Amino acid sequence: MNSSTFFGLSTVAYILAMVTYITYLAFRKARIGIVATVLTVTGFVSQTLALGMRWKEFSDVGQMGFLRAVPLTNLYESLIFFVWCLILAYLIMEFKYKNRSFGAFITPIAAIALAFIDISGMSKNIQPLVPALQSNWLLVHVMMSFFSYAMFAVSFSTGLMYLIVRTEKRSEPAYIFWTVMLSVFVITLSAMGLDYFTFKVAIKSQEELIKSYLFKASFLSSSAFVAASSWAIGVAFFFFIWRFGGALKKMVVSFNISHEMLDEITYKSIAIGFPIFTLGGLIFGAIWADQAWGKYWTWDPKETWSLITWFFYAFYLHSRLIRGWKGKKVAIVAVLGFMAVIFTYLGVNLLLSGLHSYGSQ
Amino acid sequence: MEKEKSKTIMDKIWDMFASVKFAVVNFALIALTSIVGTVVEQQVEPEKNIKLLMKMFGIEYDAAQSLLGVLDKMRFTDMYHSWWFLAILLLFAANLIICSIDRLPRVLKLVREKARPLSIEHLEKMSVKKVFSQKDKASHMKELAVSSLNRLGFKPFESSGGQGTQLYAEKGNFTRLGVYITHLSILLILAGAVIGIFFGYNAVLNLPEGEVSSFAYKDRDTQIPLGFDLRCDNFEVEYYPGTDMPKAYKSWLTVIKNGKEVMKKSIVVNDPLTYEGITFYQSSYGAVPNGMGNGILLLNVVSDNGKSQQIKTKIGESFAIPGTSVTGHIVDFSPALSFDQTGKAFTYAGQMTNPAVYIEFFESGKMKYSGWLLKRYPQTWSLPDGNRVEFLDYWGVEYTGMQVRKDPGVFIVYLGCILMAIGLYMTFFMSHKRIWVNISEEKGSVKVLIGASANRNRAAFEQKIEKLAGMLNAGQKGEK
Ligand code: HEM
């Protein structure tokens, strides 16, 4: 058995856990909740094993010291690590707050990340490190960045839940905001699922880049009919969420999740994520760049987007100090902050580099 | 009301710069303008951005060109060096400075202020609070409370008054300064960056193997004197075995000052050389133009009776294998040799990816055999007659490309980074904690009232108080 067996096992466990948590949220049977927790813990344990094994495999292949062989050198490995941190944070939260219903909001993030790995056909091969990556800073820089991303993901979920609980009228901007966010999130997940089922067979080479077929089964389909109906379904789905969002609120409220608790968790996870991101993501990244290239800051898109993310969360922390902002407004900032995180991590590579490349088409 | 009216314009400006609202505006400004700067490519020839705009908005060339003209006028094509981005950063710095000056006195007072004993009424109202009574003597309970507080890391003071004995202690007053240390660190980093821009430079130096330079080059034609000479002794790319994936780029450098060798160091990516404040980073490499045939070939020749000898030779020349009558004649060289399906040799790259020499061996005037010897494949070094020709290096045909940097501000930036880490740690992971324990005797039993406060991480602190109460209660159980 090697690491990918256990990675596969954990993927399946997390996806099942997502379904179970959502079922639990809908039917509120304690037994279903326990099953969901067991599934999550199983997934977590096998993922932990897999991470350890991959680390060992990597250090054998690259003939490097153990510390330099962090399995965090490509998109595939970093997403796996992100999911691991997220689930760890979630399990701590479930234990501490004795409340399972968050699971329905957090496991989908884990599932979307893992599904993304599969449909993207990201290279899962172990590659030896190129010279620029052979640094002891790699370990701390990447690990801390992803740990903080996981914290921000938690704050995204609880921030969204906060908005669900606190909004009343359908015309309210905050209500419209969260319904848009939630629909975009669900629609993206479904569209990626479609890509997965459509192209899994068609794509032969695992090296094929995600850029070439992301959303090609739906919004960007070559068939005008498929593309148009995808957009129509997307818009219809938004209207559905917008019209019946109140039911979601009732569901969350029925779990004794108070908005104070949600606000506290949102703040707490940012209060942990922000300093770790500052140190690991920005400072250690700058030190590394300084050692490798002689420039601690170059305003390249990835760096700049990290800085933008940082400013979003500084915005969040400070806006809490402004009278009259506490509550919905800062929750919106927390949710937007995670959009910046996603863009920093994926958008820069997928969208900006797409815009900035002229070789194709 | 009265106060509002008497405010001068200066006061109003001061208040604006001291406000968190203005800070939030600055955050948004910097973040949003930066986004534009990551979409429009910075410091590139206009064609690239025109294509980008055409692609992004689906517009014609002419429209894209005029749109780019507008963006260019607004300096969005080099925005991180534009006057207005600098202005935003200045506003931001002023905001930080004035905000800190405005609040620091109050915070310093809070930090210096010692905890004082509080009245029972006051303690009753505290948000973290514990009350219990039990059969014990006040003096014993006091001792227990002192030792328990010590165990939790608090050193209590004591005061006695009409309402019994009160122990009070505090920890971490200074952590209230964490936010200010964080803010100061940002100013330091900005200051360090400015110093770097004004008093430092970034340049490049392409140095062929064996050559010496006393200059680095900026913008291709500006010479920057180093103040010493730098020599490249050797450059080499190491590969992962059996592949063309580079494992390390390595240059052996010597610093020469006033004709004397003062420093020798080999550099790789992530491990530069620094001398007199100037740092040399391994950043690229390449072949010396038109130099490929003129390098020096370094071979180690081992004859079958064990004699070995290092020789330096050139393409087109001959050498002898010591102790034998065999001579080798070097006919050909390839920087990157490969074989096609028919077994024919060809060169697949201009770089020295897989260097090889073609040698013909003669004995007493007759050619015995010939073949390719590959530097990265020692199995090609053994000859059929038991002799061995080790291909050590082909030297003098590559240059090492280095970033050369002088930045007297970088220490300040690093200092700022350290301060920021300390400041953030103090802000988010520590807190100012205070505990009061009031012990009073009531009809043969003691009444204990614990009150506590912490400016953040209250939940964790509450658990500590829980523990403290448990310790004091456990004493009672022991006596039962
Ligand atoms: C990127 C720049 C900045 C960073 C990283 C930063 C960081 C922080 C942090 C981490 C906190 C603690 C927040 C909390 O307790 O939740 C804080 C508080 C604060 N910041 Fe900033 N800050 C920045 C810029 C500014 C600016 C420009 C101002 C100007 C008004 C400012 C004013 C304040 C104030 C007044 C507080 C509250 C202090 C207190 O609670 O006693 N900050 N800042």
Side-chain angles (χ1 to χ4, degrees):
Chain A
M1 278 209 269
N2 61 9
S3 60
S4 41
T5 320
F6 284 99
F7 279 132
L9 192 64
S10 64
T11 306
V12 173
Y14 291 151
I15 291 174
L16 288 179
M18 170 181 85
V19 175
T20 321
Y21 274 118
I22 292 171
T23 317
Y24 169 69
L25 200 63
F27 295 104
R28 304 177 58 196
K29 292 264 190 312
R31 222 177 270 159
I32 302 179
I34 292 170
V35 172
T37 305
V38 169
L39 279 168
T40 314
V41 172
T42 310
F44 184 72
V45 169
S46 60
Q47 202 186 5
T48 310
L49 280 174
L51 276 173
M53 285 160 111
R54 184 154 177 119
W55 199 322
K56 180 76 176 51
E57 287 161 17
F58 195 18
S59 115
D60 290 345
V61 168
Q63 301 147 349
M64 284 172 289
F66 196 66
L67 279 184
R68 285 215 176 163
V70 214
L72 280 176
T73 52
N74 54 31
L75 209 57
Y76 167 68
E77 291 170 332
S78 58
L79 267 177
I80 296 264
F81 184 70
F82 165 78
V83 170
W84 186 82
C85 291
L86 183 68
I87 297 292
L88 176 67
Y90 168 70
L91 285 174
I92 291 173
M93 227 165 76
E94 182 180 306
F95 178 75
K96 197 172 161 199
Y97 292 94
K98 308 258 179 292
N99 200 318
R100 286 210 169 89
S101 42
F102 299 116
F105 290 82
I106 288 179
T107 46
I109 301 181
I112 203 174
L114 293 174
F116 188 74
I117 293 173
D118 258 323
I119 65 150
S120 66
M122 249 173 241
S123 168
K124 296 181 188 178
N125 295 333
I126 293 175
Q127 297 145 339
L129 286 181
V130 299
L133 290 182
Q134 293 167 20
S135 163
N136 292 335
W137 292 107
L138 175 70
L139 174 71
V140 280
H141 172 62
V142 184
M143 276 205 160
M144 288 173 81
S145 299
F146 276 91
F147 182 79
S148 60
Y149 289 175
M151 288 295 142
F152 294 147
V154 171
S155 73
F156 165 77
S157 307
T158 50
L160 208 54
M161 286 168 83
Y162 181 91
L163 290 172
I164 292 175
V165 172
R166 285 300 300 279
T167 46
E168 303 289 341
K169 286 199 273 314
R170 282 200 272 274
S171 56
E172 212 176 329
Y175 182 88
I176 294 171
F177 176 81
W178 80 251
T179 47
V180 168
M181 279 305 184
L182 190 64
S183 356
V184 167
F185 198 72
V186 173
I187 290 168
T188 309
L189 182 62
S190 324
M192 281 164 53
L194 269 181
D195 287 334
Y196 179 53
F197 289 117
T198 318
F199 293 114
K200 189 153 192 222
V201 208
I203 301 256
K204 291 199 183 71
S205 149
Q206 282 284 293
E207 307 302 306
E208 199 114 3
L209 273 177
I210 174 146
K211 274 184 257 174
S212 60
Y213 61 99
L214 184 65
F215 299 139
K216 287 275 159 60
S218 47
F219 302 110
L220 304 179
S221 170
S222 52
S223 143
F225 174 73
V226 174
S229 31
S230 304
W231 286 103
I233 291 170
V235 171
F237 182 78
F238 162 70
F239 271 106
F240 178 79
I241 296 268
W242 176 78
R243 180 64 188 75
F244 300 106
L248 209 53
K249 171 179 171 172
K250 283 211 194 81
M251 213 188 270
V252 175
V253 171
S254 72
F255 275 94
N256 285 328
I257 302 178
S258 66
H259 65 86
E260 286 94 349
M261 185 198 220
L262 290 169
D263 182 57
E264 185 192 315
I265 299 176
T266 309
Y267 175 70
K268 272 269 164 65
S269 41
I270 292 177
I272 295 171
F274 184 78
I276 291 178
F277 179 65
T278 310
L279 191 67
L282 291 174
I283 296 182
F284 289 166
I287 294 176
W288 185 8
D290 190 33
Q291 280 195 355
W293 299 296
K295 286 172 186 161
Y296 53 83
W297 195 260
T298 51
W299 292 105
D300 93 343
K302 195 97 181 170
E303 279 176 344
T304 310
W305 267 96
S306 305
L307 188 73
I308 291 166
T309 303
W310 192 62
F311 273 108
F312 264 86
Y313 285 105
F315 191 112
Y316 170 86
L317 289 172
H318 290 83
S319 61
R320 285 172 63 88
L321 304 168
I322 300 175
R323 218 169 295 138
W325 270 61
K326 241 184 166 140
K328 281 181 261 187
K329 276 190 191 162
V330 294
I332 289 176
V333 178
V335 170
L336 286 178
F338 191 61
M339 295 297 112
V341 170
I342 293 181
F343 200 86
T344 305
Y345 179 46
L346 296 173
V348 174
N349 293 19
L350 298 180
L351 297 180
L352 286 186
S353 73
L355 274 176
H356 292 168
S357 73
Y358 311 97
S360 58
Q361 289 155 25
Chain B
M1 272 290 111
E2 209 45 36
K3 249 189 186 163
E4 283 299 313
K5 266 191 194 148
S6 64
K7 274 192 174 170
T8 64
I9 299 257
M10 278 313 284
D11 287 336
K12 277 189 184 151
I13 292 178
W14 178 273
D15 283 354
M16 181 180 90
F17 273 92
S19 74
V20 180
K21 257 194 193 146
F22 191 58
V24 166
V25 170
N26 274 322
F27 293 151
L29 266 179
I30 296 176
L32 296 177
T33 50
S34 295
I35 291 177
V36 181
T38 63
V39 176
V40 179
E41 266 201 279
Q42 303 291 300
Q43 293 179 309
V44 292
E45 62 271 33
E47 275 316 295
K48 268 190 145 176
N49 273 322
I50 290 176
K51 287 215 182 103
L52 173 96
L53 293 173
M54 286 165 66
K55 201 165 163 182
M56 201 159 55
F57 298 111
I59 49 177
E60 291 301 308
Y61 186 92
D62 291 341
Q65 194 176 26
S66 42
L67 180 55
L68 184 70
V70 176
L71 286 174
D72 199 34
K73 272 236 172 63
M74 292 161 74
R75 308 256 182 225
F76 270 107
T77 47
D78 187 13
M79 65 162 275
Y80 305 113
H81 303 96
S82 69
W83 63 268
W84 58 259
F85 194 70
L86 215 66
I88 298 177
L89 287 182
L90 268 179
L91 281 183
F92 171 68
N95 188 194
L96 257 174
I97 295 170
I98 292 175
C99 161
S100 299
I101 294 176
D102 200 58
R103 284 157 217 254
L104 204 52
R106 253 177 298 156
V107 174
L108 279 176
K109 211 173 132 217
L110 263 177
V111 170
R112 285 213 204 90
E113 211 170 45
K114 293 268 184 305
R116 275 169 310 177
L118 295 178
S119 68
I120 297 278
E121 293 73 39
H122 198 143
L123 288 183
E124 296 272 4
K125 273 191 237 132
M126 299 199 83
S127 57
V128 184
K129 176 183 83 163
K130 289 259 151 209
V131 199
F132 53 90
S133 289
Q134 62 185 55
K135 289 219 163 47
D136 199 352
K137 284 219 181 65
S139 58
H140 179 250
M141 179 54 85
K142 198 191 81 189
E143 269 168 38
L144 186 61
V146 169
S147 69
S148 302
L149 281 168
N150 279 334
R151 255 206 275 165
L152 291 178
F154 287 87
K155 291 197 180 58
F157 295 97
E158 189 186 326
S159 96
S160 307
Q163 292 170 307
T165 306
Q166 197 167 94
L167 298 169
Y168 57 97
E170 67 181 328
K171 225 165 72 171
N173 328 28
F174 68 93
T175 63
R176 288 183 184 272
L177 289 173
V179 168
Y180 295 88
I181 293 176
T182 308
H183 290 162
L184 176 69
S185 73
I186 292 164
L187 292 173
L188 270 182
I189 291 171
L190 286 176
V194 169
I195 290 174
I197 289 167
F198 280 102
F199 301 104
Y201 59 76
N202 260 301
V204 293
L205 175 58
N206 290 344
L207 200 55
E209 288 169 318
E211 290 198 10
V212 179
S213 175
S214 44
F215 299 98
Y217 297 86
K218 205 174 154 180
D219 311 324
R220 283 178 197 218
D221 43 3
T222 319
Q223 280 192 337
I224 298 174
L226 298 172
F228 51 84
D229 294 336
L230 187 75
R231 189 178 68 214
C232 173
D233 296 322
N234 194 10
F235 171 78
E236 213 146 289
V237 184
E238 251 179 68
Y239 293 87
Y240 284 101
T243 69
D244 281 346
M245 276 192 75
K247 185 175 183 189
Y249 306 108
K250 199 166 186 177
S251 306
W252 285 261
L253 302 174
T254 302
V255 178
I256 301 162
K257 176 120 188 172
N258 302 328
K260 271 203 297 254
E261 293 187 1
V262 287
M263 187 175 185
K264 263 182 180 304
K265 182 176 159 74
S266 61
I267 63 169
V268 291
V269 180
N270 281 312
D271 184 19
L273 174 151
T274 303
Y275 187 74
E276 290 186 344
I278 302 176
T279 310
F280 299 87
Y281 300 84
Q282 182 70 56
S283 75
S284 68
Y285 69 100
V288 176
N290 306 325
M292 212 29 109
N294 308 324
I296 292 172
L297 199 56
L298 199 62
L299 303 175
N300 190 37
V301 185
V302 189
S303 60
D304 53 359
N305 55 24
K307 271 196 187 142
S308 88
Q309 187 187 1
Q310 270 205 17
I311 41 181
K312 279 183 188 165
T313 177
K314 301 191 98 168
I315 294 167
E317 292 183 356
S318 296
F319 61 92
I321 296 180
T324 69
S325 52
V326 180
T327 55
H329 179 67
I330 300 148
V331 180
D332 200 2
F333 170 80
S334 164
L337 188 79
S338 188
F339 297 94
D340 65 14
Q341 276 132 340
T342 64
K344 228 179 97 195
F346 69 100
T347 297
Y348 66 92
Q351 301 278 19
M352 293 240 290
T353 324
N354 190 19
V357 281
Y358 192 81
I359 307 183
E360 291 173 343
F361 290 92
F362 296 87
E363 190 159 24
S364 33
K366 273 213 303 253
M367 191 168 96
K368 282 176 69 189
Y369 41 80
S370 63
W372 285 102
L373 272 66
L374 283 77
K375 177 163 179 269
R376 283 173 49 206
Y377 296 88
Q379 62 268 30
T380 62
W381 297 351
S382 301
L383 308 180
D385 57 9
N387 297 319
R388 196 174 148 83
V389 177
E390 298 176 354
F391 186 169
L392 297 185
D393 200 7
Y394 187 56
W395 186 84
V397 294
E398 281 181 298
Y399 67 82
T400 176
M402 292 173 286
Q403 270 291 324
V404 183
R405 186 196 64 182
K406 183 176 174 183
D407 187 349
V410 80
F411 287 104
I412 298 170
V413 172
Y414 275 1
L415 189 68
C417 289
I418 293 170
L419 267 189
M420 187 180 289
I422 294 172
L424 286 175
Y425 187 82
M426 282 165 69
T427 308
F428 287 111
F429 300 114
M430 296 170 91
S431 60
H432 183 191
K433 308 182 189 84
R434 293 190 255 197
I435 304 181
W436 291 264
V437 182
N438 200 80
I439 300 164
S440 51
E441 215 148 339
E442 269 177 3
K443 301 171 213 134
S445 70
V446 277
K447 185 178 171 207
V448 179
L449 171 57
I450 306 176
S453 75
N455 65 337
R456 58 167 54 241
N457 300 334
R458 259 246 307 275
F461 188 50
E462 248 171 276
Q463 280 177 349
K464 262 200 171 168
I465 298 302
E466 207 64 62
K467 204 164 142 195
L468 175 67
M471 285 175 181
L472 301 188
N473 262 331
Q476 178 204 27
K477 276 181 201 130
E479 293 202 342
K480 254 184 187 172

